[in-house]
Structure formats: C-alpha cells, structure tokens
C-alpha cells in the first residue's frame, strides 16, 4: 500500500537560489529535523493503513455541468461514481415491464447517473439480462458506466450458492453472460459466508480482478468486524481488499453506517453504497393511512413489510414522518427528496441506490441533488430531534 505525502514548508521544500547558505547559518539542523518528522508521520500512517492522497481533497466531490449530478470516489479508491445510482431489486424482471425498465435507465443515464446495480439473484437472473439488453440497445459507451453485481444465491444446487472460490468464479461468469459484458466494475460478496474461510473469499475476489472479470470488489451486509478481517487477510497475503460496503441506510436505520463504518472509511478507505433510502417505501408517506391495495406491502411476498407498517413502531414512524414533512416543505422539496439528501450528508456514503418503479418517481428522487446544499448542520439537528434515534457515539460527519 502506498502512502503519499506532500512536502511542507517545514524544511522539506527545496531552497531557492541564494538562500542555501542563509538557511544553514540560521538553522543547521532544520533538514535533519524535518526528515525525522517525516519518518515519524510515515510510520504512523503505515500503522493505520492510511490512504492519504495528495490531491484527494480536490476530487472529493465534483458536479457535472450539464446535469448537476454530483460524483464522489467509491470509498477511497480512484473510481468516480454518481452520488445517486439505480438499483434493480424487485423492479427489473419483477414489478415493471422491460419498456419501463428502459425508460428508467434512460432517465437515470441522461441525468448523469453512471452507477447501475444488480445481482445474480434478482428475479432469478432476469434483472441482469434486462440490464444488459438495455445497455446493448442504447449503445452507451461501456467506459461511461459503472456496473455492479452481487454474488451469493446463484441457483438451487448446493454448489450454486455461497462465496466459495467455485461459485465466485462460476457465478460471476454467469452474470457476465447474462449481461453480455466482458467485465463488471464492482462485484459484491452479498452477505458473509460462515461456511467459507475468509482467505478463500479474498483470494477468489483477487483472482477475478486479476483475470479482468471485475475492476474492484466490495461487501454487502457484512459487519465492520468481517470487513476488517477481509482487509487484514488481504494485507497479510498481498491480496486485494474490498473498497466499499453496501448497507441499508435511512431515517430509521442508522447505527451501522453512522457508528461502525466511518472508522473503516477513515482507517482503511472502505466507503458505503447505501440502499433503501426510503425504507421500502415507508418514507414516501403512502402508508400514512394504512396499506393501499396497489402498494408493495399489499403483495403476499411482502407480508413482513405490511406487519412492520401496521405495528406500534410503524405507527410511531408514520407520526415522525408527518413532522419531517414540515421540514421538507420548508426546504421546498418532497419528503423522499429530503430523505435521500439526508443520506448523502454523510461523507462516507459514496452513492445512494434508488429503487424507483416509475419514471415520475425516479425523476422526483433524482431531484434530491438540489436539496443536498440545503442539508445544513441546523437542518440535520432538526431531523435528529424528530427522529430521536441518533446513535450515541456518532461523530459529526456533515459536509
């Protein structure tokens, strides 16, 4: 791992012509002292596994001139991703038609979104097929896209699931075939696998990257301890560590992203790609008066969501959402836009995945970009006061 430092004025900068004798006369030990300080800082940085980049602060966030989309580094890797991405869970190959899926991807792409996320398990592989067909039909430059997929559940056979070397390699090959792609940009290990040694997982992920099947790898729904173990194994055996974690993050799910992952972000460079910013639709406000027949919670496979909404906690959440709606009104935005912008206030969040099922919903959600500058520390404090669930050990990570 490389650690870069820019030379400072503390004796490390080369003297201009004519100044050399003057410097030696006034402070003969300045150079040796500066070198000693440099060695001390370097040793500390190496012990922390620090990712200090000389120009990272200039690239932390940039804005596309034409669309207004903002881009961030994926964790502390060099990959630039749109701060809003499009997820394909329960929509592509499921709730919506192929035509609507194409409309959604087109709206997203033309709005500056470059991150499109899927998984081998989504709609039994259909989501990857639809995603690939749209990319091919639209003739979008592959180099302008960041395509991510997740591995774990690939099929019914015992050898078609898990994170063992066999399934990581075969599963990713299957995903690439369905998407008609030569590679993905990030492959995620979708949940930890207690049946497979961590070294095997990290070695397999390193292999698919070295073979050109993926550019990076990440984790999904892993604990901070599991991510740290993967990083430690990678460092021990000179393998490739994960660059980010996919984690659920919204008004009512905060602890992991706000207390556990920031330390990993600052120490080893692991960022967050968050999902479900609207809590499976709960934050849209459509469940304020019960469960509408046309909603996801009314479907049989989502009985768990219905029970969650109708529970005592669910009713309390709806009451809090009514109060939060007043903040959204004050900012001139919708409640979903406030919720998405709130997620993006965290510097460790590289991108928030949207799960829109209609063009109008996606357009509204993309409007959250305009709300980000309004998410001041004061507004965040108002939100915290209403939610009453601010993690105790949370630090201030507002921009």
């Amino acid at each position: 791992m490389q650690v870069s430092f820019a030379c400072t004025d503390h004796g490390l900068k080369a003297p201009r012509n004519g100044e050399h004798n003057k410097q030696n006369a006034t402070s003969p030990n300045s150079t040796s002292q500066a070198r000693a300080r440099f060695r001390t800082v370097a040793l500390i940085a190496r012990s922390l596994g620090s990712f200090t980049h000389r120009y990272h602060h200039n690239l932390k966030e940039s804005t596309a001139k034409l669309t207004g989309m903002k881009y961030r580094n994926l964790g502390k890797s060099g990959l630039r991703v749109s701060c809003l991405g499009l997820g394909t869970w329960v929509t592509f190959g499921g709730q919506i038609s192929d035509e609507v899926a194409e409309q959604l991807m087109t709206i997203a792409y033309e709005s500056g979104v470059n991150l499109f996320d899927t998984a081998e398990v989504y709609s039994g592989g259909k989501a990857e097929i639809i995603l690939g067909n749209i990319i091919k039909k639209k003739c979008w430059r592959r180099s302008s896209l960041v395509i991510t997929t997740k591995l774990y559940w690939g099929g019914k056979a015992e050898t078609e699931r898990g994170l063992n070397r066999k399934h990581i390699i075969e599963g990713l090959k299957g995903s690439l075939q369905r998407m008609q792609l030569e590679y993905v940009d990030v492959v995620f290990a979708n949940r930890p696998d207690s049946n497979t040694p961590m070294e095997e997982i990290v070695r397999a992920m390193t292999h698919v990257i070295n073979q050109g099947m993926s550019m990076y790898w990440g984790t999904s729904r892993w604990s901070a301890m599991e991510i740290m173990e993967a990083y430690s194994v990678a460092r021990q055996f000179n393998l490739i560590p994960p660059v980010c974690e996919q984690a659920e993050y919204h008004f009512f799910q905060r602890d992991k992203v706000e207390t556990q992952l920031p330390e990993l972000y600052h120490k080893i460079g692991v960022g967050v790609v968050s999902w479900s910013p609207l809590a499976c639709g709960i934050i849209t406000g459509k469940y304020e008066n019960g469960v509408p027949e046309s909603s996801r919670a009314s479907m049989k496979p989502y009985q768990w969501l219905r029970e969650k909404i109708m529970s005592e906690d669910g009713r309390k959440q709806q009451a809090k959402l009514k109060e939060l709606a007043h903040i959204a009104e004050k900012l001139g935005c919708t409640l979903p836009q406030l919720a998405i912008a709130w997620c993006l206030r965290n510097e460790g969040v590289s991108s928030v995945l949207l799960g829109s099922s209609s063009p109008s919903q996606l357009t509204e959600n993309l409007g959250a970009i305009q709300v980000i500058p309004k998410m001041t520390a004061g507004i965040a404090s108002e939100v915290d006061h209403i939610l009453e669930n601010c993690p105790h050990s949370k630090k201030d990570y507002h921009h």
Side-chain angles (χ1 to χ4, degrees):
M1 183 174 302
Q2 295 181 345
V3 182
S4 301
F5 292 93
C7 293
T8 67
D9 290 328
H10 299 295
L12 289 177
K13 190 181 292 183
R16 289 175 293 186
N17 291 335
E19 291 185 353
H20 184 75
N21 293 334
K22 183 179 179 182
Q23 279 191 346
N24 287 343
T26 56
S27 53
N29 295 323
S30 61
T31 301
S32 60
Q33 290 173 352
R35 285 174 178 164
R37 284 196 295 270
F38 179 87
R39 284 194 295 270
T40 301
V41 173
L43 286 170
I44 294 172
R46 289 193 192 103
S47 69
L48 293 175
S50 176
F51 279 73
T52 307
H53 294 296
R54 285 175 294 177
Y55 306 112
H56 183 69
H57 64 283
N58 293 328
L59 283 174
K60 191 168 187 179
E61 186 170 89
S62 59
T63 305
K65 293 180 180 178
L66 295 178
T67 64
M69 177 59 67
K70 297 183 183 300
Y71 299 91
R72 300 175 176 180
N73 287 60
L74 183 62
K76 291 191 178 178
S77 74
L79 182 62
R80 302 289 284 172
V81 296
S82 51
C83 70
L84 294 178
L86 184 64
T88 60
W89 178 58
V90 307
T91 51
F92 283 35
Q95 288 186 348
I96 63 175
S97 64
D98 294 4
E99 291 73 22
V100 173
E102 183 178 338
Q103 290 176 19
L104 293 176
M105 281 196 67
T106 302
I107 291 170
Y109 185 76
E110 292 179 351
S111 299
V113 171
N114 69 3
L115 176 59
F116 297 91
D117 177 73
T118 187
E120 63 174 348
V121 72
Y122 291 170
S123 301
K126 291 180 182 177
E128 291 181 322
I129 293 172
I130 295 170
L131 181 70
N133 287 339
I134 294 171
I135 292 172
K136 186 175 182 180
K137 179 180 177 181
K138 303 296 288 189
C139 296
W140 290 329
R141 298 189 316 281
R142 178 64 184 89
S143 56
S144 70
L145 302 168
V146 176
I147 306 299
T148 68
T149 193
K150 294 182 285 294
L151 301 175
Y152 192 92
W153 292 281
K156 296 180 179 179
E158 188 69 23
T159 53
E160 294 175 330
R161 67 176 71 97
L163 296 177
N164 55 79
R165 182 182 178 90
K166 176 179 173 65
H167 182 60
I168 285 177
I169 295 173
E170 292 180 343
L172 185 52
K173 284 182 178 178
S175 291
L176 294 176
Q177 289 173 355
R178 286 188 289 274
M179 290 187 281
Q180 305 172 69
L181 299 176
E182 293 182 359
Y183 64 93
V184 292
D185 296 280
V186 188
V187 57
F188 287 94
N190 190 17
R191 68 170 278 181
D193 185 358
S194 59
N195 295 319
T196 304
M198 185 62 74
E199 183 182 342
E200 181 175 345
I201 297 172
V202 179
R203 285 191 182 279
M205 287 298 190
T206 300
H207 172 80
V208 297
I209 291 174
N210 289 338
Q211 292 298 308
M213 298 165 67
S214 182
M215 300 290 188
Y216 304 86
W217 79 278
T219 57
S220 179
R221 300 197 298 170
W222 285 33
S223 69
M225 186 177 296
E226 288 161 341
I227 296 169
M228 195 65 223
E229 183 185 354
Y231 175 81
S232 298
V233 167
R235 289 290 298 270
Q236 181 181 357
F237 297 106
N238 196 28
L239 303 172
I240 300 173
V243 297
C244 62
E245 156 72 3
Q246 277 201 21
E248 183 178 5
Y249 185 43
H250 50 74
F251 284 151
F252 307 117
Q253 185 75 273
R254 303 178 58 176
D255 188 68
K256 179 179 177 180
V257 172
E258 294 187 7
T259 64
Q260 300 176 34
L261 297 182
E263 185 174 359
L264 294 187
Y265 173 73
H266 289 287
K267 292 288 182 64
I268 66 175
V270 170
V272 176
V273 172
S274 71
W275 48 274
S276 199
L278 304 180
C280 294
I282 290 175
I283 296 173
T284 61
K286 63 184 176 184
Y287 298 116
E288 182 180 344
N289 300 311
V291 179
E293 290 184 8
S294 59
S295 67
R296 187 191 308 175
S298 66
M299 301 178 185
K300 193 171 182 180
Y302 295 94
Q303 182 66 29
W304 59 270
L305 180 58
R306 180 187 183 93
E307 293 173 357
K308 186 176 182 179
I309 293 168
M310 301 303 291
S311 69
E312 181 64 27
D313 284 342
R315 287 192 286 271
K316 288 179 181 178
Q317 288 178 356
Q318 291 300 319
K320 292 181 185 298
L321 291 175
K322 285 184 180 180
E323 295 185 60
L324 291 170
H326 294 307
I327 296 180
E329 186 178 353
K330 181 171 66 174
L331 297 180
C333 67
T334 65
L335 182 58
Q337 288 172 339
L338 174 67
I340 294 166
W342 178 87
C343 292
L344 287 168
R345 87 202 188 288
N346 189 310
E347 71 166 356
V349 174
S350 300
S351 187
V352 173
L353 297 177
L354 305 176
S356 307
S357 57
S358 71
S360 59
Q361 182 186 11
L362 178 58
T363 301
E364 176 191 351
N365 292 349
L366 289 169
I369 292 290
Q370 311 304 323
V371 186
I372 297 175
K374 302 177 183 179
M375 285 302 302
T376 62
I379 293 297
S381 294
E382 287 185 49
V383 172
D384 282 341
H385 180 71
I386 293 171
L387 292 175
E388 298 179 309
N389 64 353
C390 182
H392 295 297
S393 58
K394 180 192 167 195
K395 299 176 183 177
D396 186 9
Y397 290 108
H398 305 317
H399 288 294

